[in-house]
Amino acid sequence: MIDSATLSILISTTLILAIYTILYRENPAFRIGEHLMVGATVGHAIVLAIFQIRDLAWRKFQSGFATGNLSGIAYIIPMILGVFLYFQFSSKLRYLARISIALMLAVGLSLSIRGLIFVNVIGQIQGALAPLTSIQNIVYMIGVVCALLYFVYEQRASKLAGPLPKIGRYVLMLTMGAYFANTIMGRLSIVIGTLTSVFVAPAWYLIPVAFLIVIADVFIRRKSSTAS
Amino acid sequence: MVAREILSRNYKQVIYLGLFLSLAIPLFNPIGLPVPVQKTTLGVYNKIESLKSGDVAVIGSNIGAAIYAEVYPQYIAILEHLLRKPGVKILLVGHGTEAPIWAERALKELNAYNRKSYGTDFVHLGYIAGEEAAIASLCRDVHSLLKVDYSGKPLSDLPMMKDIGSAKDFAIVIDFTASADSQYWLNQAYASYGTPVGFGLTAIKVPDAYAYYMAGQIFGIIESLSGAAQYENLIHKPGMAVTGMDAQSLAHLLYIALIIMCNVIYVTQRRTKK
Amino acid sequence: MLFAGKLSWTVITLVFSVLMFVALYLASKKIYVPHIREHAGIQAITEAIGRAAEMGRPVSFSPGTSSIYDAKYAGDTAAALRILDYVARESIKSGSKLIVGIAPPTVLPVAQAIVKTAYTAEGKAEEYVEGDTVRFLSPDQWGFTSNYMGMMHRERVAANFLFGGHAAEALILAETGATVGAMQVAGSTNVYQLPMFIVSCDYTLIGEDQLAAAAYLSPDPAQKGVVFGQDLAKLISVALIVIGAILATAGSKILLTFLKS
Amino acid sequence: MAGIWRTTATAILLVVSLVILFDFAFKNPALQSLATDLSNWAVVVGAFALGIGAYSLILRHGGMIAKKRPVWPYSLLLLVTMFVFTVTGLITGSITSPQYNWIYSTFVMPVSSTLYGMNAFFIASASYRAFKARSWEAIVLLVSAIFLMLKNAPIGGVISPVLPQIGGVIWDFAGATGMRALLIGIGIGTLALGLRVIIGQEKTPLGGAE
């Protein structure tokens, strides 16, 4: 009898290998992993959502109701708005769903405006205010100005800027190349972590099996493609 | 012929296989690809090499699960180096609650309890609460701050502790951390007592510390996993950092080779079309 | 009254907002309708959909993995939904099958409504299949990714559009799209994922490009006015940087002090 | 009737946004607690949205099973897994219970880290396919990527100590110029789009123009 820890390792390694087979081609093993993953994560999200509604809204409402705290009682509103979302399937009461969406959208957009103007705009302008006493700072300033001018969309205005927006486009491409390469180390550490976890017995025995299945499939497909 | 056909139709699969091999081979069989030794790492190595019998090395073991991957290999490599130096005494201390767990794990991994004798060659003080103030009082007088070690043994029973009073008796301090506490040792041990201080840091903390290094205030820095790999090579004991860096190096080389190859093919194809 | 450290935020947000409102007003009254440079990626969307229709293969769209109340990428998601409206209408017109893959549950009812409205408006309401045209894949980043990958392979999509707040799954989705031979247009304001799209997709709307596209894809031409407002705001930023740097060289920290206030 | 609700939606959008924006500028305890409550409300409403998702999934995959489409066994697998996770979570009453923890760490965690790590493989195929020197822009992109790779991997410094230095210069330049402009643009663009939605000029994100 295998204990639950070994069983867990065997199942998870099988899943890891099944997911990796997508690199070869779409196949039943990947589909099993994929559908298991979708089912599991949706189930997980349902559990979380139920607990969230209970802890974030229902309990606050209950205790608010008991103590007469108005902001607690008010938590009935998001629960009603939550139910409103389901009216979008009704052709007559669809507008109710829009109210709930309006609330969520308002929260998201205003929080984004708060944060992005503060951190992105003000923070970055602040960072760019270095005294022009070194060649480096002068080059940086020209670079950031060009890159900003690339994002000017009004055609007459962008023509006035001459070649600067074009230079800005190159600056952006340079940035993108650098940021692309800079993510690689982190991504590699994750694969290395996964590989280290499957290169241990008993998980390790499954790897040759997976490779054999893939190689067999390659030959079967070659034969059938040459036959037809 | 067959190979060419497979390559042109399934070039992606061939690339994936290549990447898998370049990651898997070093994990089984570390190659020990050269990792250029930075002078910051060498600073730490030379400092430890220069320690004489009887010198006390203080190790700040502020490792946590979040920084484990980067800092723990450094910690292992430095401890190994110190354990090899005959007569050098090691004092382990930390100020995070997780610190003693990682310190004990490292001591067990290195078999320290059998290689050296606890109490005469090394002492684990566990963790001290109270941030910079605690470091300050530790530097002023170890015995007035602490009465017992990590496992509860009285310090007076440990022969090594008899010769240690204040930070003046520390030969070096090396702090492993990802937080502001490296600053504490610099303020308390270096600034007040002149004790040389060095760091083992995560990559994001390095730029701050580099300024101290350039100013000559610290003797060295071990930078992230690559620093650990350099150190493992210096002490000729390739371990998890070297393995990880091998895989990283090979994979990066593969990426660069792929970029070059695709451009060579692209340029030659364009020429033949013309 | 003002919260310490928020004076500069309030001033800048107000000034920028006023500029945008004025530009919108001028455009709606036809006093000044700006000529907006159209991103090549927008024409590419139409081209990709046309190509899919010729090949008889479907079009797939993902509005990202950020919810509509996300504190950082809500704007990104909103822009993606605007583009979804455009993509939906174009695909219906060209007769190709549209598949929208959704991750955040909050985006689902919105996307359903948008696509359903588009089908009804084009007089093809019967082609909209509940649960299938707009598919809820999984609220989990990786559950969504695996299912979107599988969907692209199985449906053999010929055009794939990735907009909105995508995270680490960006490259995986884009490379899978390339593997199945789809023409791809993407856009995001997640600066760490933009490089992935640029490398892997045929056209990429970089950061603000996507947010501006949301305005000029609007059927109401007056909305283009706001893009001109954005331009003015950027020119002010350029001026602040240049003037501030010159002031700093002269030893004055007045602008820096303002920004920190 | 519909007209009133339409106005209500627009009004809510405007009022809620203004409350949260004003809360950022002014330090006022009443405003602050209102803004916090509103943000929490959005999360609660969002939690309800999952029901629509689950309904949509059951509709689609249930249909596949009922119609015996070729892929129906996978749909069945999906629905069964979903059911098992939901029931286990609800019966054990917590997502930290040992049983739930076991199924989660056995089924979900390995797949997540596998997919995340798969990025490394796609970086390889993207490197081969996409980094072609088709234009000057593409050349800039690929040259800066190569130098950054040589900076990060220790092998670069072995070939020549100058390589990591060039990579470092490119990295600093990229952060101080392109990234800065990109972030400023995104801030301004989000403000513009946000304002249009908030004042009711852009209705698509609410569920299509009506």
Side-chain angles (χ1 to χ4, degrees):
Chain A
M1 191 56 209
I2 16 173
D3 59 308
S4 71
T6 319
L7 185 66
S8 171
I9 292 172
L10 289 175
I11 295 176
S12 55
T13 311
T14 313
L15 280 175
I16 291 174
L17 295 171
I19 292 293
Y20 266 126
T21 58
I22 190 76
L23 294 177
Y24 165 57
R25 70 182 180 90
E26 206 269 343
N27 68 86
F30 175 79
R31 274 186 214 173
I32 290 174
E34 171 197 351
H35 285 82
L36 263 175
M37 182 68 179
V38 174
T41 49
V42 174
H44 181 66
I46 293 174
V47 175
L48 280 184
I50 291 174
F51 289 164
Q52 216 165 27
I53 293 167
R54 183 192 68 190
D55 298 342
L56 268 176
W58 181 246
R59 288 210 172 135
K60 277 189 188 161
F61 168 68
Q62 257 187 332
S63 73
F65 203 69
T67 58
N69 178 343
L70 215 64
S71 94
I73 297 173
Y75 272 84
I76 190 75
I77 300 173
M79 287 194 275
I80 294 172
L81 287 178
V83 175
F84 274 9
L85 280 175
Y86 293 81
F87 284 106
Q88 68 137 333
F89 294 111
S90 140
S91 50
K92 276 187 189 161
L93 295 168
R94 280 171 60 182
Y95 290 104
L96 292 178
R98 283 173 87 103
I99 295 177
S100 321
I101 293 165
L103 172 76
M104 292 190 285
L105 200 59
V107 169
L109 287 173
S110 46
L111 286 178
S112 300
I113 292 174
R114 268 163 64 152
L116 294 181
I117 295 286
F118 194 67
V119 179
N120 283 17
V121 179
I122 297 178
Q124 292 300 324
I125 293 178
Q126 242 179 54
L129 299 184
L132 303 172
T133 42
S134 67
I135 295 176
Q136 180 184 312
N137 286 351
I138 296 171
V139 171
Y140 284 180
M141 197 196 78
I142 296 170
V144 73
V145 167
C146 290
L148 265 173
L149 289 174
Y150 163 75
F151 287 111
V152 169
Y153 300 101
E154 219 289 335
Q155 278 172 337
R156 271 171 277 186
S158 95
K159 256 182 207 140
L160 276 180
L164 298 185
K166 183 92 183 140
I167 299 171
R169 173 100 187 151
Y170 286 117
V171 170
L172 279 170
M173 283 300 141
L174 184 104
T175 308
M176 292 291 114
Y179 272 75
F180 177 83
N182 212 47
T183 57
I184 295 177
M185 270 193 111
R187 303 281 156 90
L188 278 172
S189 339
I190 293 157
V191 202
I192 294 171
T194 314
L195 287 183
T196 342
S197 77
V198 296
F199 281 171
V200 204
W204 152 239
Y205 304 122
L206 293 168
I207 297 176
V209 178
F211 267 100
L212 283 177
I213 294 174
V214 170
I215 291 168
D217 185 75
V218 173
F219 276 99
I220 293 166
R221 278 162 61 87
R222 257 184 70 82
K223 276 229 175 96
S224 63
S225 72
T226 43
S228 60
Chain B
M1 205 28 218
V2 177
R4 198 163 169 186
E5 177 205 347
I6 290 179
L7 259 178
S8 66
R9 202 165 0 132
N10 303 317
Y11 75 94
K12 280 195 174 176
Q13 281 77 358
V14 176
I15 291 173
Y16 298 145
L17 192 66
L19 182 64
F20 174 77
L21 290 177
S22 63
L23 292 172
I25 289 170
L27 291 183
F28 275 107
N29 186 9
I31 315 167
L33 280 176
V35 182
V37 179
Q38 287 161 292
K39 52 183 194 300
T40 44
T41 315
L42 206 59
V44 179
Y45 178 80
N46 289 338
K47 197 76 194 175
I48 292 181
E49 274 294 292
S50 74
L51 291 180
K52 293 181 290 290
S53 180
D55 283 347
V56 178
V58 177
I59 302 295
S61 34
N62 306 304
I63 305 163
I67 62 165
Y68 154 81
E70 283 182 82
V71 178
Y72 187 69
Q74 306 171 354
Y75 188 70
I76 289 279
I78 296 278
L79 273 183
E80 169 67 27
H81 192 195
L82 285 169
L83 286 170
R84 283 183 193 174
K85 298 285 291 179
V88 169
K89 301 184 187 306
I90 308 166
L91 192 61
L92 300 154
V93 67
H95 36 271
T97 44
E98 270 187 86
I101 302 164
W102 292 102
E104 281 301 312
R105 184 174 152 177
L107 290 174
K108 291 214 176 76
E109 200 174 316
L110 292 168
N111 199 15
Y113 286 97
N114 295 328
R115 286 165 70 180
K116 297 267 177 148
S117 100
Y118 185 79
T120 32
D121 295 315
F122 67 102
V123 167
H124 182 197
L125 290 177
Y127 92 93
I128 45 170
E131 306 288 305
E132 189 161 355
I135 305 273
S137 37
L138 185 85
C139 288
R140 208 176 305 122
D141 183 6
V142 178
H143 293 278
S144 70
L145 179 74
L146 293 165
K147 296 288 174 227
V148 291
D149 73 350
Y150 168 61
S151 55
K153 281 193 196 119
L155 292 189
S156 50
D157 291 0
L158 304 168
M160 175 183 138
M161 295 308 292
K162 289 203 178 84
D163 307 329
I164 300 172
S166 71
K168 278 181 196 145
D169 303 318
F170 302 158
I172 54 165
V173 175
I174 303 176
D175 193 30
F176 294 89
T177 182
S179 62
D181 40 38
S182 51
Q183 189 76 44
Y184 305 163
W185 283 107
L186 201 60
N187 293 344
Q188 301 307 327
Y190 174 75
S192 311
Y193 300 90
T195 312
V197 175
F199 296 146
L201 299 172
T202 53
I204 41 168
K205 288 294 291 180
V206 169
D208 297 343
Y210 201 70
Y212 301 129
Y213 177 77
M214 292 307 280
Q217 291 172 304
I218 54 176
F219 59 79
I221 309 165
I222 305 184
E223 300 184 11
S224 189
L225 193 68
S226 76
Q230 293 162 28
Y231 213 92
E232 285 177 0
N233 282 336
L234 282 171
I235 60 168
H236 306 292
K237 194 198 172 203
M240 51 179 138
V242 164
T243 310
M245 289 315 281
D246 270 353
Q248 290 271 7
S249 274
L250 275 187
H252 273 87
L253 278 181
L254 180 78
Y255 293 144
I256 295 170
L258 286 170
I259 295 180
I260 294 172
M261 251 167 66
C262 94
N263 278 295
V264 169
I265 295 172
Y266 175 70
V267 171
T268 45
Q269 272 178 352
R270 226 173 39 168
R271 285 248 172 90
T272 46
K273 262 184 202 160
K274 270 182 187 171
Chain C
M1 251 318 252
L2 275 173
F3 198 178
K6 302 294 160 58
L7 175 71
S8 58
W9 180 84
T10 314
V11 172
I12 286 184
T13 310
L14 269 179
V15 171
F16 284 4
S17 307
V18 167
L19 284 175
M20 286 163 191
F21 283 137
V22 169
L24 255 179
Y25 177 81
L26 291 179
S28 69
K29 292 283 174 230
K30 301 231 163 54
I31 300 171
Y32 180 73
V33 183
H35 299 267
I36 302 300
R37 158 169 67 93
E38 191 167 290
H39 196 284
I42 297 298
Q43 283 144 19
I45 290 179
T46 323
E47 188 193 327
I49 293 171
R51 179 174 164 265
E54 273 171 30
M55 296 165 92
R57 280 159 57 181
V59 172
S60 62
F61 188 101
S62 157
T65 48
S66 303
S67 77
I68 57 171
Y69 59 82
D70 191 279
K72 198 168 175 197
Y73 298 115
D76 213 350
T77 307
L81 288 168
R82 170 74 256 175
I83 298 170
L84 169 63
D85 182 75
Y86 179 75
V87 168
R89 282 166 203 271
E90 291 289 311
S91 345
I92 299 162
K93 271 186 228 156
S94 74
S96 27
K97 181 184 169 191
L98 173 70
I99 302 166
V100 185
I102 305 283
T106 52
V107 176
L108 179 68
V110 187
Q112 282 175 334
I114 290 172
V115 175
K116 213 182 202 168
T117 313
Y119 271 92
T120 319
E122 302 291 334
K124 290 183 179 173
E126 72 288 348
E127 282 178 29
Y128 175 86
V129 185
E130 193 70 61
D132 194 60
T133 308
V134 179
R135 292 180 193 176
F136 179 67
L137 303 186
S138 165
D140 176 88
Q141 183 189 6
W142 300 115
F144 166 78
T145 308
S146 64
N147 209 351
Y148 201 92
M149 283 167 90
M151 180 270 286
M152 281 196 276
H153 274 284
R154 284 189 292 271
E155 305 271 358
R156 295 173 34 78
V157 298
N160 179 35
F161 304 108
L162 304 166
F163 288 98
H166 280 285
E169 73 278 7
L171 184 70
I172 299 180
L173 299 182
E175 270 299 295
T176 308
T179 305
V180 300
M183 183 170 168
Q184 304 190 92
V185 184
S188 183
T189 66
N190 183 332
V191 289
Y192 300 103
Q193 302 309 328
L194 274 172
M196 307 300 168
F197 284 148
I198 287 184
V199 167
S200 206
C201 295
D202 299 282
Y203 292 90
T204 307
L205 277 68
I206 307 173
E208 199 188 349
D209 287 350
Q210 183 195 210
L211 301 164
Y216 59 70
L217 283 181
S218 172
D220 172 16
Q223 300 302 321
K224 282 182 185 157
V226 85
V227 182
F228 184 55
Q230 278 167 251
D231 284 352
L232 294 177
K234 260 166 296 186
L235 293 175
I236 290 179
S237 310
V238 168
L240 284 177
I241 290 174
V242 174
I243 295 169
I246 292 171
L247 284 176
T249 321
S252 159
K253 292 229 157 98
I254 177 163
L255 195 62
L256 205 62
T257 328
F258 163 69
L259 289 174
K260 281 187 179 158
S261 64
Chain D
M1 234 350 231
I4 301 169
W5 292 120
R6 208 181 317 180
T7 326
T8 316
T10 318
I12 284 181
L13 201 52
L14 185 65
V15 172
V16 172
S17 303
L18 288 180
V19 167
I20 293 176
L21 287 174
F22 277 117
D23 167 52
F24 196 59
F26 301 103
K27 200 176 191 170
N28 181 319
L31 204 57
Q32 196 182 3
S33 80
L34 184 59
T36 316
D37 272 341
L38 286 173
S39 313
N40 288 342
W41 286 14
V43 178
V44 175
V45 179
F48 276 91
L50 192 66
I52 300 178
Y55 167 73
S56 180
L57 264 186
I58 294 169
L59 197 70
R60 184 170 132 72
H61 290 280
M64 296 250 204
I65 299 167
K67 287 180 205 146
K68 285 262 158 46
R69 289 280 171 79
V71 289
W72 73 269
Y74 301 105
S75 295
L76 184 66
L77 177 71
L78 187 153
L79 293 180
V80 168
T81 326
M82 179 171 131
F83 183 73
V84 168
F85 266 75
T86 314
V87 168
T88 315
L90 292 181
I91 287 179
T92 59
S94 133
I95 52 160
T96 50
S97 67
Q99 297 85 352
Y100 194 83
N101 198 16
W102 191 86
I103 53 170
Y104 191 78
S105 58
T106 303
F107 290 96
V108 179
M109 273 169 22
V111 178
S112 299
S113 64
T114 304
L115 283 164
Y116 196 172
M118 210 175 265
N119 265 306
F121 288 86
F122 288 127
I123 288 171
S125 56
S127 298
Y128 183 78
R129 187 175 52 80
F131 277 112
K132 284 190 186 119
R134 285 193 201 91
S135 62
W136 283 107
E137 275 178 21
I139 292 174
V140 172
L141 184 82
L142 85 91
V143 168
S144 96
I146 288 183
F147 275 113
L148 254 288
M149 288 184 199
L150 289 170
K151 168 185 172 276
N152 287 339
I155 200 79
V158 176
I159 301 167
S160 158
V162 186
L163 292 175
Q165 283 171 8
I166 300 176
V169 170
I170 293 178
W171 177 247
D172 291 344
F173 179 78
T177 57
M179 194 41 66
R180 205 155 257 169
L182 203 52
L183 290 171
I184 294 175
I186 289 167
I188 291 170
T190 305
L191 176 67
L193 179 63
L195 287 177
R196 284 198 306 122
V197 175
I198 289 168
I199 60 168
Q201 293 274 317
E202 174 67 82
K203 292 216 170 67
T204 329
L206 276 177
E210 299 275 345

